[in-house]
Amino acid sequence: MPRGRKTQPDYPGSLGSLLYDKRKADGWPAKKVAAACSLSQTFIAAIERGARCPELDRVPDIARAYRLDVSLVCWTWIVQFAPRAAPYMVSPAYVDTMHHQIGRASCRERV
């Protein structure tokens, strides 16, 4: 019997259901959202159904088109489509690495 993935307590659900629920709650047609993020209505409908996965680079534009928090929508994408990467994005080692890289970048800017 296949094992299902356990969801995190703060997991908002699938990307598609998050987008669909928001659009329906606001009473927007898919055409309006599609135009706002420069994607086809067919592609937006496929994302909402869970049949298609947008590229991560497009997720912030999609979140803004739905008027959702960009961080929440990006995190939802990561948890759904790249779950093995998620722990590295919140671990202390990752944060320390980012601080170190930011520090090096600002040193280069001063030179």
Side-chain angles (χ1 to χ4, degrees):
M1 179 169 18
R3 288 189 258 165
R5 286 198 177 121
K6 293 181 181 177
T7 58
Q8 302 300 319
D10 60 346
Y11 179 60
S14 74
L15 178 65
S17 64
L18 178 69
L19 299 177
Y20 178 81
D21 292 345
K22 172 65 171 161
R23 184 172 64 78
K24 286 300 183 179
D26 290 345
W28 298 334
K31 186 176 185 176
K32 176 182 176 178
V33 176
C37 59
S38 303
L39 295 171
S40 73
Q41 183 176 345
T42 304
F43 190 61
I44 288 295
I47 294 169
E48 289 181 354
R49 284 193 320 272
R52 297 290 304 270
C53 168
E55 294 175 359
L56 183 55
D57 287 349
R58 291 192 177 267
V59 173
D61 292 335
I62 292 170
R64 284 189 282 276
Y66 281 84
R67 295 187 183 157
L68 287 165
D69 179 61
V70 173
S71 297
L72 170 69
V73 180
C74 286
W75 182 249
T76 302
W77 187 97
I78 290 164
V79 170
Q80 183 175 356
F81 299 109
R84 290 178 29 193
Y88 299 102
M89 302 186 87
V90 295
S91 73
Y94 174 76
V95 173
D96 291 342
T97 302
M98 290 307 296
H99 286 297
H100 181 69
Q101 288 176 351
I102 291 169
R104 282 192 315 198
S106 22
C107 288
R108 279 184 254 152
E109 290 170 4
R110 284 184 246 159
V111 174

mmCIF file of all heavy atoms in Angstrom, residues 54-105:
data_model
loop_
_atom_site.group_PDB
_atom_site.id
_atom_site.type_symbol
_atom_site.label_atom_id
_atom_site.label_comp_id
_atom_site.label_asym_id
_atom_site.label_seq_id
_atom_site.Cartn_x
_atom_site.Cartn_y
_atom_site.Cartn_z
ATOM 1 N N PRO A 54 3.307 25.462 -12.221
ATOM 2 C CA PRO A 54 4.013 26.606 -12.797
ATOM 3 C C PRO A 54 5.481 26.585 -12.382
ATOM 4 O O PRO A 54 5.843 25.984 -11.367
ATOM 5 C CB PRO A 54 3.295 27.805 -12.173
ATOM 6 C CG PRO A 54 2.799 27.296 -10.867
ATOM 7 C CD PRO A 54 2.447 25.844 -11.105
ATOM 8 N N GLU A 55 6.323 27.244 -13.156
ATOM 9 C CA GLU A 55 7.723 27.390 -12.767
ATOM 10 C C GLU A 55 7.774 28.271 -11.519
ATOM 11 O O GLU A 55 6.972 29.196 -11.376
ATOM 12 C CB GLU A 55 8.515 28.061 -13.883
ATOM 13 C CG GLU A 55 8.619 27.234 -15.135
ATOM 14 C CD GLU A 55 9.307 27.994 -16.260
ATOM 15 O OE1 GLU A 55 9.684 29.164 -16.068
ATOM 16 O OE2 GLU A 55 9.449 27.395 -17.336
ATOM 17 N N LEU A 56 8.719 27.992 -10.644
ATOM 18 C CA LEU A 56 8.832 28.759 -9.403
ATOM 19 C C LEU A 56 9.023 30.252 -9.681
ATOM 20 O O LEU A 56 8.505 31.089 -8.945
ATOM 21 C CB LEU A 56 9.976 28.221 -8.534
ATOM 22 C CG LEU A 56 10.170 28.885 -7.177
ATOM 23 C CD1 LEU A 56 8.895 28.860 -6.347
ATOM 24 C CD2 LEU A 56 11.311 28.221 -6.422
ATOM 25 N N ASP A 57 9.713 30.586 -10.752
ATOM 26 C CA ASP A 57 9.921 31.999 -11.090
ATOM 27 C C ASP A 57 8.617 32.744 -11.364
ATOM 28 O O ASP A 57 8.550 33.959 -11.219
ATOM 29 C CB ASP A 57 10.815 32.137 -12.323
ATOM 30 C CG ASP A 57 12.261 31.809 -12.035
ATOM 31 O OD1 ASP A 57 12.626 31.680 -10.846
ATOM 32 O OD2 ASP A 57 13.038 31.689 -12.993
ATOM 33 N N ARG A 58 7.584 32.032 -11.764
ATOM 34 C CA ARG A 58 6.298 32.665 -12.068
ATOM 35 C C ARG A 58 5.380 32.765 -10.848
ATOM 36 O O ARG A 58 4.399 33.502 -10.859
ATOM 37 C CB ARG A 58 5.559 31.887 -13.147
ATOM 38 C CG ARG A 58 6.221 31.985 -14.501
ATOM 39 C CD ARG A 58 5.277 31.433 -15.549
ATOM 40 N NE ARG A 58 5.815 31.565 -16.872
ATOM 41 C CZ ARG A 58 5.565 32.600 -17.662
ATOM 42 N NH1 ARG A 58 4.816 33.584 -17.254
ATOM 43 N NH2 ARG A 58 6.087 32.641 -18.879
ATOM 44 N N VAL A 59 5.704 32.036 -9.792
ATOM 45 C CA VAL A 59 4.826 31.970 -8.624
ATOM 46 C C VAL A 59 4.600 33.339 -7.973
ATOM 47 O O VAL A 59 3.459 33.658 -7.614
ATOM 48 C CB VAL A 59 5.324 30.908 -7.618
ATOM 49 C CG1 VAL A 59 4.537 30.948 -6.322
ATOM 50 C CG2 VAL A 59 5.226 29.522 -8.258
ATOM 51 N N PRO A 60 5.616 34.197 -7.810
ATOM 52 C CA PRO A 60 5.325 35.513 -7.216
ATOM 53 C C PRO A 60 4.314 36.332 -8.021
ATOM 54 O O PRO A 60 3.429 36.970 -7.434
ATOM 55 C CB PRO A 60 6.700 36.196 -7.187
ATOM 56 C CG PRO A 60 7.670 35.065 -7.098
ATOM 57 C CD PRO A 60 7.059 33.979 -7.951
ATOM 58 N N ASP A 61 4.410 36.292 -9.343
ATOM 59 C CA ASP A 61 3.434 37.014 -10.173
ATOM 60 C C ASP A 61 2.038 36.429 -10.023
ATOM 61 O O ASP A 61 1.047 37.163 -9.975
ATOM 62 C CB ASP A 61 3.841 36.980 -11.648
ATOM 63 C CG ASP A 61 5.108 37.779 -11.919
ATOM 64 O OD1 ASP A 61 5.417 38.711 -11.146
ATOM 65 O OD2 ASP A 61 5.796 37.470 -12.909
ATOM 66 N N ILE A 62 1.971 35.119 -9.937
ATOM 67 C CA ILE A 62 0.678 34.455 -9.750
ATOM 68 C C ILE A 62 0.089 34.852 -8.401
ATOM 69 O O ILE A 62 -1.093 35.185 -8.293
ATOM 70 C CB ILE A 62 0.831 32.922 -9.874
ATOM 71 C CG1 ILE A 62 1.190 32.552 -11.320
ATOM 72 C CG2 ILE A 62 -0.437 32.209 -9.421
ATOM 73 C CD1 ILE A 62 1.611 31.096 -11.501
ATOM 74 N N ALA A 63 0.902 34.848 -7.358
ATOM 75 C CA ALA A 63 0.431 35.228 -6.014
ATOM 76 C C ALA A 63 -0.116 36.658 -6.012
ATOM 77 O O ALA A 63 -1.183 36.927 -5.449
ATOM 78 C CB ALA A 63 1.561 35.089 -5.004
ATOM 79 N N ARG A 64 0.609 37.563 -6.653
ATOM 80 C CA ARG A 64 0.151 38.957 -6.706
ATOM 81 C C ARG A 64 -1.154 39.077 -7.500
ATOM 82 O O ARG A 64 -2.026 39.872 -7.142
ATOM 83 C CB ARG A 64 1.235 39.853 -7.286
ATOM 84 C CG ARG A 64 2.361 40.132 -6.293
ATOM 85 C CD ARG A 64 3.325 41.186 -6.788
ATOM 86 N NE ARG A 64 4.271 40.680 -7.772
ATOM 87 C CZ ARG A 64 5.413 40.059 -7.471
ATOM 88 N NH1 ARG A 64 5.744 39.872 -6.210
ATOM 89 N NH2 ARG A 64 6.210 39.628 -8.416
ATOM 90 N N ALA A 65 -1.303 38.300 -8.557
ATOM 91 C CA ALA A 65 -2.540 38.339 -9.347
ATOM 92 C C ALA A 65 -3.739 37.890 -8.516
ATOM 93 O O ALA A 65 -4.841 38.418 -8.679
ATOM 94 C CB ALA A 65 -2.401 37.463 -10.589
ATOM 95 N N TYR A 66 -3.519 36.949 -7.622
ATOM 96 C CA TYR A 66 -4.591 36.455 -6.751
ATOM 97 C C TYR A 66 -4.709 37.277 -5.469
ATOM 98 O O TYR A 66 -5.564 37.012 -4.637
ATOM 99 C CB TYR A 66 -4.336 34.996 -6.371
ATOM 100 C CG TYR A 66 -4.707 33.993 -7.430
ATOM 101 C CD1 TYR A 66 -3.845 33.679 -8.461
ATOM 102 C CD2 TYR A 66 -5.934 33.328 -7.382
ATOM 103 C CE1 TYR A 66 -4.169 32.733 -9.417
ATOM 104 C CE2 TYR A 66 -6.277 32.385 -8.334
ATOM 105 C CZ TYR A 66 -5.389 32.099 -9.354
ATOM 106 O OH TYR A 66 -5.722 31.165 -10.298
ATOM 107 N N ARG A 67 -3.797 38.244 -5.301
ATOM 108 C CA ARG A 67 -3.734 39.076 -4.095
ATOM 109 C C ARG A 67 -3.515 38.221 -2.848
ATOM 110 O O ARG A 67 -4.186 38.392 -1.829
ATOM 111 C CB ARG A 67 -4.957 39.961 -3.963
ATOM 112 C CG ARG A 67 -5.049 40.971 -5.079
ATOM 113 C CD ARG A 67 -6.142 41.962 -4.879
ATOM 114 N NE ARG A 67 -6.191 42.848 -6.032
ATOM 115 C CZ ARG A 67 -7.258 43.527 -6.375
ATOM 116 N NH1 ARG A 67 -8.351 43.433 -5.672
ATOM 117 N NH2 ARG A 67 -7.225 44.310 -7.434
ATOM 118 N N LEU A 68 -2.572 37.309 -2.967
ATOM 119 C CA LEU A 68 -2.168 36.448 -1.859
ATOM 120 C C LEU A 68 -0.750 36.814 -1.438
ATOM 121 O O LEU A 68 0.005 37.393 -2.223
ATOM 122 C CB LEU A 68 -2.202 34.977 -2.273
ATOM 123 C CG LEU A 68 -3.581 34.352 -2.421
ATOM 124 C CD1 LEU A 68 -3.484 33.036 -3.171
ATOM 125 C CD2 LEU A 68 -4.215 34.142 -1.059
ATOM 126 N N ASP A 69 -0.397 36.464 -0.217
ATOM 127 C CA ASP A 69 0.952 36.689 0.282
ATOM 128 C C ASP A 69 1.943 35.884 -0.558
ATOM 129 O O ASP A 69 1.809 34.658 -0.674
ATOM 130 C CB ASP A 69 1.022 36.277 1.757
ATOM 131 C CG ASP A 69 2.402 36.449 2.331
ATOM 132 O OD1 ASP A 69 2.908 37.576 2.347
ATOM 133 O OD2 ASP A 69 2.984 35.421 2.759
ATOM 134 N N VAL A 70 2.923 36.559 -1.132
ATOM 135 C CA VAL A 70 3.883 35.907 -2.024
ATOM 136 C C VAL A 70 4.666 34.818 -1.283
ATOM 137 O O VAL A 70 4.875 33.730 -1.811
ATOM 138 C CB VAL A 70 4.836 36.944 -2.667
ATOM 139 C CG1 VAL A 70 5.932 36.260 -3.465
ATOM 140 C CG2 VAL A 70 4.053 37.900 -3.550
ATOM 141 N N SER A 71 5.065 35.088 -0.048
ATOM 142 C CA SER A 71 5.814 34.090 0.725
ATOM 143 C C SER A 71 4.999 32.824 0.945
ATOM 144 O O SER A 71 5.514 31.713 0.832
ATOM 145 C CB SER A 71 6.228 34.658 2.084
ATOM 146 O OG SER A 71 7.096 35.738 1.920
ATOM 147 N N LEU A 72 3.724 32.999 1.260
ATOM 148 C CA LEU A 72 2.847 31.839 1.485
ATOM 149 C C LEU A 72 2.719 31.001 0.219
ATOM 150 O O LEU A 72 2.834 29.769 0.261
ATOM 151 C CB LEU A 72 1.461 32.298 1.932
ATOM 152 C CG LEU A 72 0.386 31.205 1.976
ATOM 153 C CD1 LEU A 72 0.677 30.213 3.094
ATOM 154 C CD2 LEU A 72 -0.985 31.814 2.132
ATOM 155 N N VAL A 73 2.508 31.644 -0.915
ATOM 156 C CA VAL A 73 2.314 30.908 -2.161
ATOM 157 C C VAL A 73 3.618 30.230 -2.591
ATOM 158 O O VAL A 73 3.615 29.074 -3.025
ATOM 159 C CB VAL A 73 1.740 31.818 -3.269
ATOM 160 C CG1 VAL A 73 1.540 31.051 -4.563
ATOM 161 C CG2 VAL A 73 0.411 32.426 -2.816
ATOM 162 N N CYS A 74 4.740 30.918 -2.439
ATOM 163 C CA CYS A 74 6.030 30.296 -2.763
ATOM 164 C C CYS A 74 6.296 29.106 -1.855
ATOM 165 O O CYS A 74 6.751 28.051 -2.312
ATOM 166 C CB CYS A 74 7.166 31.311 -2.651
ATOM 167 S SG CYS A 74 7.201 32.504 -3.994
ATOM 168 N N TRP A 75 6.028 29.254 -0.569
ATOM 169 C CA TRP A 75 6.238 28.144 0.367
ATOM 170 C C TRP A 75 5.328 26.973 0.014
ATOM 171 O O TRP A 75 5.745 25.815 0.052
ATOM 172 C CB TRP A 75 6.016 28.592 1.804
ATOM 173 C CG TRP A 75 6.275 27.507 2.787
ATOM 174 C CD1 TRP A 75 5.368 26.867 3.557
ATOM 175 C CD2 TRP A 75 7.545 26.901 3.075
ATOM 176 N NE1 TRP A 75 5.985 25.903 4.318
ATOM 177 C CE2 TRP A 75 7.321 25.906 4.042
ATOM 178 C CE3 TRP A 75 8.836 27.102 2.601
ATOM 179 C CZ2 TRP A 75 8.346 25.117 4.537
ATOM 180 C CZ3 TRP A 75 9.856 26.311 3.113
ATOM 181 C CH2 TRP A 75 9.604 25.338 4.066
ATOM 182 N N THR A 76 4.089 27.260 -0.358
ATOM 183 C CA THR A 76 3.160 26.203 -0.764
ATOM 184 C C THR A 76 3.713 25.453 -1.970
ATOM 185 O O THR A 76 3.670 24.227 -2.033
ATOM 186 C CB THR A 76 1.775 26.799 -1.082
ATOM 187 O OG1 THR A 76 1.296 27.483 0.072
ATOM 188 C CG2 THR A 76 0.784 25.722 -1.478
ATOM 189 N N TRP A 77 4.259 26.195 -2.940
ATOM 190 C CA TRP A 77 4.860 25.563 -4.124
ATOM 191 C C TRP A 77 6.020 24.662 -3.712
ATOM 192 O O TRP A 77 6.121 23.525 -4.169
ATOM 193 C CB TRP A 77 5.346 26.644 -5.099
ATOM 194 C CG TRP A 77 5.823 26.101 -6.408
ATOM 195 C CD1 TRP A 77 5.099 26.021 -7.562
ATOM 196 C CD2 TRP A 77 7.111 25.544 -6.708
ATOM 197 N NE1 TRP A 77 5.860 25.452 -8.555
ATOM 198 C CE2 TRP A 77 7.105 25.149 -8.056
ATOM 199 C CE3 TRP A 77 8.267 25.343 -5.968
ATOM 200 C CZ2 TRP A 77 8.197 24.571 -8.685
ATOM 201 C CZ3 TRP A 77 9.370 24.756 -6.588
ATOM 202 C CH2 TRP A 77 9.330 24.385 -7.929
ATOM 203 N N ILE A 78 6.881 25.165 -2.853
ATOM 204 C CA ILE A 78 8.055 24.394 -2.426
ATOM 205 C C ILE A 78 7.635 23.124 -1.699
ATOM 206 O O ILE A 78 8.126 22.034 -1.982
ATOM 207 C CB ILE A 78 8.979 25.256 -1.541
ATOM 208 C CG1 ILE A 78 9.639 26.337 -2.397
ATOM 209 C CG2 ILE A 78 10.026 24.403 -0.838
ATOM 210 C CD1 ILE A 78 10.259 27.459 -1.602
ATOM 211 N N VAL A 79 6.705 23.245 -0.770
ATOM 212 C CA VAL A 79 6.257 22.082 0.006
ATOM 213 C C VAL A 79 5.590 21.051 -0.896
ATOM 214 O O VAL A 79 5.776 19.852 -0.732
ATOM 215 C CB VAL A 79 5.318 22.515 1.157
ATOM 216 C CG1 VAL A 79 4.668 21.324 1.815
ATOM 217 C CG2 VAL A 79 6.095 23.340 2.181
ATOM 218 N N GLN A 80 4.846 21.512 -1.894
ATOM 219 C CA GLN A 80 4.148 20.580 -2.778
ATOM 220 C C GLN A 80 5.053 19.977 -3.843
ATOM 221 O O GLN A 80 5.004 18.776 -4.092
ATOM 222 C CB GLN A 80 2.965 21.272 -3.450
ATOM 223 C CG GLN A 80 2.155 20.319 -4.321
ATOM 224 C CD GLN A 80 0.918 20.962 -4.904
ATOM 225 O OE1 GLN A 80 0.594 22.115 -4.620
ATOM 226 N NE2 GLN A 80 0.222 20.221 -5.734
ATOM 227 N N PHE A 81 5.876 20.796 -4.475
ATOM 228 C CA PHE A 81 6.620 20.327 -5.636
ATOM 229 C C PHE A 81 8.097 20.046 -5.387
ATOM 230 O O PHE A 81 8.748 19.417 -6.215
ATOM 231 C CB PHE A 81 6.466 21.310 -6.803
ATOM 232 C CG PHE A 81 5.037 21.464 -7.243
ATOM 233 C CD1 PHE A 81 4.343 22.622 -6.996
ATOM 234 C CD2 PHE A 81 4.381 20.422 -7.891
ATOM 235 C CE1 PHE A 81 3.015 22.763 -7.384
ATOM 236 C CE2 PHE A 81 3.072 20.538 -8.286
ATOM 237 C CZ PHE A 81 2.378 21.714 -8.038
ATOM 238 N N ALA A 82 8.634 20.545 -4.273
ATOM 239 C CA ALA A 82 10.044 20.296 -3.944
ATOM 240 C C ALA A 82 10.189 20.034 -2.449
ATOM 241 O O ALA A 82 10.964 20.707 -1.760
ATOM 242 C CB ALA A 82 10.902 21.474 -4.371
ATOM 243 N N PRO A 83 9.435 19.069 -1.914
ATOM 244 C CA PRO A 83 9.415 18.877 -0.460
ATOM 245 C C PRO A 83 10.770 18.507 0.148
ATOM 246 O O PRO A 83 11.025 18.837 1.303
ATOM 247 C CB PRO A 83 8.390 17.755 -0.256
ATOM 248 C CG PRO A 83 8.342 17.040 -1.562
ATOM 249 C CD PRO A 83 8.613 18.086 -2.610
ATOM 250 N N ARG A 84 11.629 17.861 -0.621
ATOM 251 C CA ARG A 84 12.939 17.494 -0.068
ATOM 252 C C ARG A 84 13.836 18.712 0.109
ATOM 253 O O ARG A 84 14.791 18.680 0.877
ATOM 254 C CB ARG A 84 13.607 16.455 -0.948
ATOM 255 C CG ARG A 84 12.884 15.103 -0.840
ATOM 256 C CD ARG A 84 13.431 14.019 -1.700
ATOM 257 N NE ARG A 84 14.850 14.125 -1.974
ATOM 258 C CZ ARG A 84 15.474 13.424 -2.907
ATOM 259 N NH1 ARG A 84 14.784 12.578 -3.644
ATOM 260 N NH2 ARG A 84 16.752 13.553 -3.112
ATOM 261 N N ALA A 85 13.552 19.795 -0.588
ATOM 262 C CA ALA A 85 14.339 21.020 -0.460
ATOM 263 C C ALA A 85 13.877 21.884 0.711
ATOM 264 O O ALA A 85 14.644 22.690 1.228
ATOM 265 C CB ALA A 85 14.265 21.827 -1.745
ATOM 266 N N ALA A 86 12.634 21.713 1.133
ATOM 267 C CA ALA A 86 12.053 22.586 2.164
ATOM 268 C C ALA A 86 12.866 22.652 3.455
ATOM 269 O O ALA A 86 13.100 23.749 3.964
ATOM 270 C CB ALA A 86 10.612 22.173 2.444
ATOM 271 N N PRO A 87 13.336 21.532 4.006
ATOM 272 C CA PRO A 87 14.088 21.628 5.267
ATOM 273 C C PRO A 87 15.349 22.480 5.159
ATOM 274 O O PRO A 87 15.744 23.136 6.121
ATOM 275 C CB PRO A 87 14.455 20.172 5.586
ATOM 276 C CG PRO A 87 13.472 19.352 4.834
ATOM 277 C CD PRO A 87 13.129 20.150 3.606
ATOM 278 N N TYR A 88 15.955 22.498 4.010
ATOM 279 C CA TYR A 88 17.177 23.291 3.831
ATOM 280 C C TYR A 88 16.895 24.789 3.788
ATOM 281 O O TYR A 88 17.793 25.597 3.989
ATOM 282 C CB TYR A 88 17.902 22.866 2.546
ATOM 283 C CG TYR A 88 18.320 21.423 2.597
ATOM 284 C CD1 TYR A 88 17.596 20.454 1.929
ATOM 285 C CD2 TYR A 88 19.423 21.026 3.353
ATOM 286 C CE1 TYR A 88 17.960 19.114 1.988
ATOM 287 C CE2 TYR A 88 19.797 19.695 3.419
ATOM 288 C CZ TYR A 88 19.056 18.747 2.736
ATOM 289 O OH TYR A 88 19.429 17.436 2.809
ATOM 290 N N MET A 89 15.663 25.131 3.517
ATOM 291 C CA MET A 89 15.305 26.542 3.413
ATOM 292 C C MET A 89 14.951 27.147 4.763
ATOM 293 O O MET A 89 14.842 28.358 4.871
ATOM 294 C CB MET A 89 14.166 26.702 2.433
ATOM 295 C CG MET A 89 14.552 26.137 1.076
ATOM 296 S SD MET A 89 13.338 26.424 -0.155
ATOM 297 C CE MET A 89 13.900 28.028 -0.690
ATOM 298 N N VAL A 90 14.782 26.311 5.765
ATOM 299 C CA VAL A 90 14.430 26.821 7.090
ATOM 300 C C VAL A 90 15.424 26.411 8.165
ATOM 301 O O VAL A 90 15.293 26.813 9.302
ATOM 302 C CB VAL A 90 13.019 26.365 7.515
ATOM 303 C CG1 VAL A 90 11.966 26.972 6.613
ATOM 304 C CG2 VAL A 90 12.901 24.865 7.543
ATOM 305 N N SER A 91 16.426 25.652 7.808
ATOM 306 C CA SER A 91 17.382 25.186 8.813
ATOM 307 C C SER A 91 18.361 26.298 9.176
ATOM 308 O O SER A 91 18.662 27.169 8.363
ATOM 309 C CB SER A 91 18.145 23.962 8.300
ATOM 310 O OG SER A 91 19.072 24.343 7.319
ATOM 311 N N PRO A 92 18.877 26.281 10.400
ATOM 312 C CA PRO A 92 19.842 27.302 10.829
ATOM 313 C C PRO A 92 21.083 27.355 9.940
ATOM 314 O O PRO A 92 21.622 28.426 9.703
ATOM 315 C CB PRO A 92 20.214 26.879 12.243
ATOM 316 C CG PRO A 92 19.078 26.046 12.707
ATOM 317 C CD PRO A 92 18.538 25.372 11.467
ATOM 318 N N ALA A 93 21.539 26.221 9.438
ATOM 319 C CA ALA A 93 22.731 26.212 8.581
ATOM 320 C C ALA A 93 22.482 27.034 7.324
ATOM 321 O O ALA A 93 23.352 27.770 6.863
ATOM 322 C CB ALA A 93 23.107 24.782 8.211
ATOM 323 N N TYR A 94 21.300 26.931 6.776
ATOM 324 C CA TYR A 94 20.962 27.698 5.580
ATOM 325 C C TYR A 94 20.968 29.199 5.897
ATOM 326 O O TYR A 94 21.514 29.996 5.160
ATOM 327 C CB TYR A 94 19.595 27.283 5.044
ATOM 328 C CG TYR A 94 19.114 28.127 3.889
ATOM 329 C CD1 TYR A 94 19.651 27.952 2.622
ATOM 330 C CD2 TYR A 94 18.160 29.108 4.063
ATOM 331 C CE1 TYR A 94 19.230 28.736 1.554
ATOM 332 C CE2 TYR A 94 17.733 29.890 3.000
ATOM 333 C CZ TYR A 94 18.276 29.691 1.759
ATOM 334 O OH TYR A 94 17.859 30.462 0.710
ATOM 335 N N VAL A 95 20.374 29.557 7.029
ATOM 336 C CA VAL A 95 20.323 30.966 7.423
ATOM 337 C C VAL A 95 21.731 31.499 7.615
ATOM 338 O O VAL A 95 22.064 32.590 7.143
ATOM 339 C CB VAL A 95 19.470 31.140 8.694
ATOM 340 C CG1 VAL A 95 19.555 32.559 9.208
ATOM 341 C CG2 VAL A 95 18.030 30.740 8.420
ATOM 342 N N ASP A 96 22.601 30.733 8.287
ATOM 343 C CA ASP A 96 23.988 31.162 8.490
ATOM 344 C C ASP A 96 24.701 31.333 7.158
ATOM 345 O O ASP A 96 25.456 32.279 6.966
ATOM 346 C CB ASP A 96 24.747 30.158 9.361
ATOM 347 C CG ASP A 96 24.244 30.159 10.801
ATOM 348 O OD1 ASP A 96 23.578 31.142 11.199
ATOM 349 O OD2 ASP A 96 24.508 29.175 11.518
ATOM 350 N N THR A 97 24.466 30.428 6.231
ATOM 351 C CA THR A 97 25.083 30.518 4.906
ATOM 352 C C THR A 97 24.635 31.786 4.193
ATOM 353 O O THR A 97 25.438 32.491 3.594
ATOM 354 C CB THR A 97 24.717 29.285 4.054
ATOM 355 O OG1 THR A 97 25.151 28.121 4.739
ATOM 356 C CG2 THR A 97 25.358 29.333 2.696
ATOM 357 N N MET A 98 23.362 32.085 4.268
ATOM 358 C CA MET A 98 22.848 33.275 3.603
ATOM 359 C C MET A 98 23.443 34.536 4.214
ATOM 360 O O MET A 98 23.810 35.463 3.510
ATOM 361 C CB MET A 98 21.317 33.319 3.668
ATOM 362 C CG MET A 98 20.657 32.259 2.796
ATOM 363 S SD MET A 98 21.218 32.291 1.076
ATOM 364 C CE MET A 98 20.635 33.876 0.555
ATOM 365 N N HIS A 99 23.553 34.585 5.550
ATOM 366 C CA HIS A 99 24.149 35.760 6.193
ATOM 367 C C HIS A 99 25.605 35.924 5.749
ATOM 368 O O HIS A 99 26.060 37.022 5.498
ATOM 369 C CB HIS A 99 24.066 35.651 7.718
ATOM 370 C CG HIS A 99 22.697 35.877 8.248
ATOM 371 N ND1 HIS A 99 22.033 37.077 8.116
ATOM 372 C CD2 HIS A 99 21.845 35.052 8.909
ATOM 373 C CE1 HIS A 99 20.843 36.989 8.674
ATOM 374 N NE2 HIS A 99 20.699 35.763 9.151
ATOM 375 N N HIS A 100 26.296 34.815 5.641
ATOM 376 C CA HIS A 100 27.692 34.854 5.213
ATOM 377 C C HIS A 100 27.799 35.373 3.779
ATOM 378 O O HIS A 100 28.624 36.218 3.474
ATOM 379 C CB HIS A 100 28.316 33.456 5.341
ATOM 380 C CG HIS A 100 29.758 33.406 4.942
ATOM 381 N ND1 HIS A 100 30.738 34.016 5.680
ATOM 382 C CD2 HIS A 100 30.365 32.855 3.874
ATOM 383 C CE1 HIS A 100 31.905 33.819 5.080
ATOM 384 N NE2 HIS A 100 31.699 33.111 3.983
ATOM 385 N N GLN A 101 26.921 34.891 2.900
ATOM 386 C CA GLN A 101 26.952 35.331 1.504
ATOM 387 C C GLN A 101 26.573 36.798 1.376
ATOM 388 O O GLN A 101 27.161 37.536 0.607
ATOM 389 C CB GLN A 101 26.027 34.475 0.646
ATOM 390 C CG GLN A 101 26.548 33.083 0.429
ATOM 391 C CD GLN A 101 25.561 32.222 -0.336
ATOM 392 O OE1 GLN A 101 24.426 32.612 -0.571
ATOM 393 N NE2 GLN A 101 26.005 31.035 -0.713
ATOM 394 N N ILE A 102 25.598 37.236 2.165
ATOM 395 C CA ILE A 102 25.185 38.638 2.124
ATOM 396 C C ILE A 102 26.335 39.517 2.616
ATOM 397 O O ILE A 102 26.621 40.559 2.048
ATOM 398 C CB ILE A 102 23.903 38.860 2.963
ATOM 399 C CG1 ILE A 102 22.722 38.176 2.279
ATOM 400 C CG2 ILE A 102 23.633 40.347 3.174
ATOM 401 C CD1 ILE A 102 21.489 38.087 3.123
ATOM 402 N N GLY A 103 27.018 39.066 3.664
ATOM 403 C CA GLY A 103 28.163 39.816 4.184
ATOM 404 C C GLY A 103 29.255 39.965 3.147
ATOM 405 O O GLY A 103 29.826 41.039 2.980
ATOM 406 N N ARG A 104 29.544 38.893 2.401
ATOM 407 C CA ARG A 104 30.559 38.966 1.342
ATOM 408 C C ARG A 104 30.127 39.894 0.226
ATOM 409 O O ARG A 104 30.930 40.656 -0.288
ATOM 410 C CB ARG A 104 30.836 37.570 0.765
ATOM 411 C CG ARG A 104 31.707 36.736 1.630
ATOM 412 C CD ARG A 104 32.157 35.512 0.876
ATOM 413 N NE ARG A 104 31.036 34.919 0.160
ATOM 414 C CZ ARG A 104 31.008 33.701 -0.308
ATOM 415 N NH1 ARG A 104 32.038 32.909 -0.147
ATOM 416 N NH2 ARG A 104 29.984 33.227 -0.954
ATOM 417 N N ALA A 105 28.845 39.849 -0.117
ATOM 418 C CA ALA A 105 28.349 40.706 -1.197
ATOM 419 C C ALA A 105 28.472 42.169 -0.795
ATOM 420 O O ALA A 105 28.873 43.004 -1.597
ATOM 421 C CB ALA A 105 26.898 40.358 -1.528
#
